[in-house]
Amino acid sequence: MAAAARVTAIRGPALTYTGDPFQQGLEATMRYEPDAIVAMAGGRIAHFGPARALRGKLPRGTKVEDHGRDALIMAGFVDCHVHYPQTEIIGAYGAQLLDWLNKYTFVAEQRFADERHARAAARVFLKECLRNGITTAAVYCTVHPQSVDAFFEESTRLGLRMIAGKVLMDRNAPAAVSDTAQRAYDESKALIARWHGRGRSMYAITPRFAPTSTPEQLAAAGALKREHPDCFVQSHVSENKAEVEWARALFPGRRDYLDVYDHYGLLGRRAVYGHCLHLSERELARMHETGTAIAHCPTSNFFLGSGAFDLGKATRTERPVRVGLATDVGGGTTLSFLQTLNEAYKAAQMNGYSLSAGHAFYLATRGGAHALDLEDTIGSLAPGMEADLVVLDLKSTPLIAFRMRHAADLAEALFIQMTLGDDRAVRATYAAGKRVYARPAQRFG
Ligand code: GUN
Ligand code: ZN
């Protein structure tokens, strides 16, 4: 922290995690402070703790914004997989994955050749992220390098820690959204040089999925990851049964779908795969072994009829796989992280596992940061962490306010939020210590 950095602070009940409750239990990892202060300076958290202990430690004249007893301060939500160009086709009717891609997605993504279109879309998308308390996301752009420039320029303007990359496709897609193996390499390399590690921007090498890349293009992506090991890799795997069969037919020499990416050096820490619905035990074990992460996209999986992700199986203590949560807009139907938690609960229920609210809010914050290998930087409330925060209003609608009167304890209050809450529950969002969203006043009752 710079010595002269000005300290600002917020006050209210606060929730954070010091470890992984799926592995160590909630008791050991969840920290709730009924009246906390989070003090911020130089873009980071300077102090976090009970208000009574901290008040005397803050520099004289520090402005403390009190959010009151019906608030809950948390680390900002981490969306591990989302497509900003698909904001304009969210909620498109009546197709499963492969038809949906051809009918809506590849059509919409062509418009991002126009940088002005890309910039306008990035603005809408990022504004929507902040309205929902999302402060970091792993974002797919389109094949056009200008779609990446537009995105990072806008996220930089807001001071956000964002991960993004140019989509790579050199087969099975329209020419207007395709590149070649060589162009994929050259354009990604130039974008890495321009953006990775510049301010809060980080680059993700982004082969869309195995069926739209030739072996040569996947090899080029693998070479980029070898040359830039601290860049991310993001792609899709095992979302839909027809997709799985297609990938296996295109790469008959590989053991299974995940092995295609493995073969080209695309697994490991900072590699994040969307969906992972139909993975075999071998594939899950390989993800565990390599530190590869799953982006669980429940609203998308239900909307596209892909299936219900088995969270209990993925996080099994003998071979836990890193799991983060994701909206996957526009296959996903909302940027509300609370609604994403709601659907994650239902997906787990379909597999006989009841996701607790304590575990769910871990996934939304520190768990997502862990999946992205960023848990030392974002995802929790602790001195030294980057000051990205969300403040929830625990009584954001008449129904929630009424239901909260009957909440017996913290676990129940949190579960009500994730079941009934949405964008209206987000009262404020902070990025690098600055307030970047404040909900307009709302009155009811
Ligand atoms: N698989 C390949 N591309 C996509 C995409 O854009 N969205 C989803 N949900 N799955 C994909
Ligand atoms: Zn996706």
Side-chain angles (χ1 to χ4, degrees), residues 81-109 140 169 172 174 208-209 236 239-240 242-243 246 275 297 299-306 327-334:
H81 177 125
V82 62
H83 303 254
Y84 95 84
Q86 296 174 15
T87 312
E88 60 197 56
I89 53 149
I90 188 170
Y93 174 74
Q96 297 218 343
L97 176 63
L98 300 175
D99 290 334
W100 175 84
L101 283 173
N102 286 316
K103 197 164 157 190
Y104 301 111
T105 312
F106 294 159
V107 178
E109 292 192 4
Y140 289 62
M169 291 201 276
N172 295 320
R208 175 172 225 117
F209 66 157
H236 300 79
E239 174 178 3
N240 164 290
E243 170 220 4
W246 191 25
H275 308 293
C297 311
T299 74
S300 170
N301 296 159
F302 288 135
F303 185 67
L304 294 176
S306 306
T327 63
D328 191 32
V329 161
T333 50
T334 182

Side-chain angles (χ1 to χ4, degrees), residues 341-366:
L341 294 181
N342 184 18
E343 300 305 305
Y345 174 76
K346 294 172 191 168
Q349 284 281 75
M350 297 290 286
N351 289 288
Y353 174 86
S354 299
L355 173 64
S356 83
H359 288 79
F361 280 99
Y362 165 77
L363 287 178
T365 55
R366 190 182 169 112

Side-chain angles (χ1 to χ4, degrees), residues 218-265:
L218 292 178
L224 287 166
K225 176 65 176 164
R226 260 195 322 282
E227 291 156 13
H228 304 278
D230 64 334
C231 280
F232 294 80
V233 168
Q234 56 182 356
S235 192
H236 300 79
V237 75
S238 222
E239 174 178 3
N240 164 290
K241 295 221 166 113
E243 170 220 4
V244 176
E245 277 174 33
W246 191 25
R248 299 208 55 175
L250 288 169
F251 294 90
R254 305 273 60 93
R255 217 179 319 210
D256 45 40
Y257 192 170
L258 191 77
D259 191 45
V260 176
Y261 298 118
D262 202 352
H263 181 74
Y264 293 103

Side-chain angles (χ1 to χ4, degrees), residues 155-210:
S155 67
T156 300
R157 220 166 43 79
L158 293 163
L160 304 176
R161 179 162 287 293
M162 285 282 162
I163 300 164
K166 163 194 144 72
V167 162
L168 316 180
M169 291 201 276
D170 67 344
R171 64 168 158 174
N172 295 320
V177 285
S178 297
D179 52 8
T180 62
Q182 189 63 47
R183 256 181 62 205
Y185 179 86
D186 293 343
E187 292 179 351
S188 300
K189 189 98 183 160
L191 287 164
I192 291 168
R194 196 170 319 146
W195 290 111
H196 185 65
R198 177 165 157 196
R200 303 188 80 199
S201 303
M202 306 177 92
Y203 197 80
I205 300 153
T206 310
R208 175 172 225 117
F209 66 157

Side-chain angles (χ1 to χ4, degrees), residues 54-135:
L54 274 186
R55 249 178 326 190
K57 288 196 185 156
L58 300 177
R60 260 146 104 43
T62 301
K63 205 175 126 254
V64 181
E65 190 184 359
D66 193 341
H67 284 283
R69 285 178 40 206
D70 290 333
L72 183 65
I73 302 168
M74 277 187 279
F77 298 137
V78 179
D79 184 346
C80 293
H81 177 125
V82 62
H83 303 254
Y84 95 84
Q86 296 174 15
T87 312
E88 60 197 56
I89 53 149
I90 188 170
Y93 174 74
Q96 297 218 343
L97 176 63
L98 300 175
D99 290 334
W100 175 84
L101 283 173
N102 286 316
K103 197 164 157 190
Y104 301 111
T105 312
F106 294 159
V107 178
E109 292 192 4
Q110 296 183 26
R111 296 194 275 270
F112 286 70
D114 174 357
E115 185 159 355
R116 277 175 318 170
H117 182 87
R119 188 176 306 282
R123 277 197 191 137
V124 171
F125 169 80
L126 288 166
K127 196 166 166 194
E128 204 55 30
C129 284
L130 298 180
R131 276 181 11 82
N132 285 290
I134 295 168
T135 48

